[in-house]
Amino acid sequence: SESQATDLTTLSHLLHERGWIVPAYTLPANAENIDVLRMVVKENFSRDMVDMLSHDLRGALKTLRKRTTAHPNRPRRRPHC
């Protein structure tokens, strides 16, 4: 079976609920079908913070997969830039 694409906009919102700022973007013309997440990591980003981000990201992905499974035919929303 074909794997489902991850809704990065929703993933971004779920991470924001946990205090992370990880914006989702759609690329410009000729690549508008590609979505990306943008993270800026500063030099004081500690190992503990990496562990917290990893934990929150896994939790957000789990939540997103539950939503996707519950609504398999739900249309994907694109961000407005």
Side-chain angles (χ1 to χ4, degrees):
S1 70
E2 191 175 312
S3 64
Q4 292 180 320
T6 301
D7 182 350
L8 296 184
T9 301
T10 303
L11 181 59
S12 174
H13 288 292
L14 291 169
L15 288 171
H16 190 264
E17 290 174 1
R18 300 288 301 166
W20 300 103
I21 300 172
V22 183
Y25 295 95
T26 301
L27 295 182
N30 296 326
E32 63 272 353
N33 62 328
I34 300 172
D35 294 338
V36 296
L37 289 177
R38 180 174 181 252
M39 290 185 198
V40 176
V41 178
K42 296 186 178 185
E43 63 187 44
N44 64 342
F45 198 72
S46 69
R47 174 59 195 230
D48 288 342
M49 292 176 78
V50 170
D51 290 341
M52 287 188 289
L53 176 58
S54 176
H55 176 268
D56 291 343
L57 181 58
R58 283 192 305 270
L61 286 168
K62 186 176 179 180
T63 298
L64 185 59
R65 287 185 186 121
K66 285 181 185 177
R67 289 182 185 180
T68 303
T69 303
H71 306 287
N73 296 323
R74 189 173 171 186
R76 186 171 165 205
R77 293 185 298 179
R78 310 282 281 165
H80 299 287
C81 297

